[in-house]
Amino acid sequence: MIEGSDARHLARSLRARVGEEIEVIDPAGFMLTLRLDAVSPERVEGVVVAERPHQPEPPARIAIAIANLPAPALELVLSRCTEAGAHAFYVFQAERSVARGAKAERWSTICREAAMLAGRLRVPDVTSLSSLQDVLGVTEHPVLLARGVTQALAGLVAPRDLTLVVGPEGGWTDRELSLAPVQASLGPRNLRADTAALVGLSVALAARE
């Protein structure tokens, strides 16, 4: 049985009909084929007619800690990195962040919609933090992405699980750079923060496949 916003989306936006077959993800790790018996904006019901294993989650848990960005760029990071397999997000205030404030409900909705689109089994959590120092204190194996360091992210294959720390458009301050003992580079090119987050996630996941 499907209720709430998902039922409204099926009934009104997708115009699902009785007798139609749809695919539904079981968080236990299966893709279910459901034949609909009843459809309304309040509730959608059906019977499972087929199932197959579905394991889309990456073996490595790569989180993204991203300096607070203007809404369009930050929302792009949340959406695209959720689709690509990010395990969690931390949004923090860097010293050169121009955006302020947390929009927890909006951020969670973006991640949920992206996870559904990608067929993921789980929705990444989004946590708001006050500073880079907070990020380094609470995250697992933080790796700060910075230009000009000798360690390439592609060559950093251990540990399996880590947190990629991505700075604001204005870059890191010297003080922030001094706080992070582990740093890695995506190469000599200057990338936008939203680009760096997605590229960094893709590189880290690929190195652990």
Side-chain angles (χ1 to χ4, degrees):
M1 183 172 62
I2 302 170
E3 296 180 306
S5 61
D6 291 338
R8 289 192 296 274
H9 181 65
L10 281 167
R12 292 175 175 168
S13 300
L14 299 183
R15 300 184 182 276
R17 295 290 181 264
V18 171
E20 182 180 347
E21 292 186 357
I22 64 172
E23 289 189 325
V24 177
I25 294 173
D26 181 347
F30 295 92
M31 182 70 76
L32 309 179
T33 301
L34 192 70
R35 182 180 297 125
L36 301 182
D37 291 335
V39 178
S40 74
E42 292 74 35
R43 179 183 301 175
V44 175
E45 298 180 3
V47 60
V48 176
V49 296
E51 68 175 48
R52 66 179 188 274
H54 181 65
Q55 297 293 338
E57 297 301 312
R61 296 183 175 185
I62 308 296
I64 300 293
I66 181 79
N68 204 349
L69 303 172
L74 181 60
E75 292 178 3
L76 189 65
V77 169
L78 297 175
S79 175
R80 298 299 185 263
C81 289
T82 295
E83 292 177 26
H87 181 73
F89 295 96
Y90 301 88
V91 181
F92 67 96
Q93 291 300 132
E95 292 181 10
R96 291 176 176 163
S97 288
V98 295
R100 292 289 185 271
K103 300 178 180 178
E105 185 175 350
R106 170 67 177 163
W107 295 345
S108 295
T109 297
I110 289 169
C111 289
R112 183 174 182 275
E113 291 175 352
M116 292 176 63
L117 175 67
R120 294 190 58 178
L121 300 179
R122 60 179 302 277
V123 179
D125 292 329
V126 185
T127 302
S128 181
L129 296 173
S130 298
S131 66
L132 173 61
Q133 194 163 357
D134 288 343
V135 172
L136 299 177
V138 304
T139 57
E140 184 177 23
H141 304 299
V143 176
L144 186 141
L145 297 181
R147 294 176 63 196
V149 298
T150 56
Q151 174 65 63
L153 181 62
L156 193 66
V157 297
R160 186 194 69 170
D161 303 334
L162 53 81
T163 299
L164 298 179
V165 187
V166 183
E169 297 291 359
W172 300 111
T173 64
D174 290 341
R175 192 191 76 85
E176 287 173 323
L177 288 171
S178 71
L179 295 174
V182 181
Q183 301 181 14
S185 171
L186 293 175
R189 291 161 300 282
N190 189 28
L191 304 179
R192 289 182 178 274
D194 50 359
T195 304
L198 183 55
V199 171
L201 174 62
S202 301
V203 168
L205 289 174
R208 290 159 176 76
E209 288 293 337

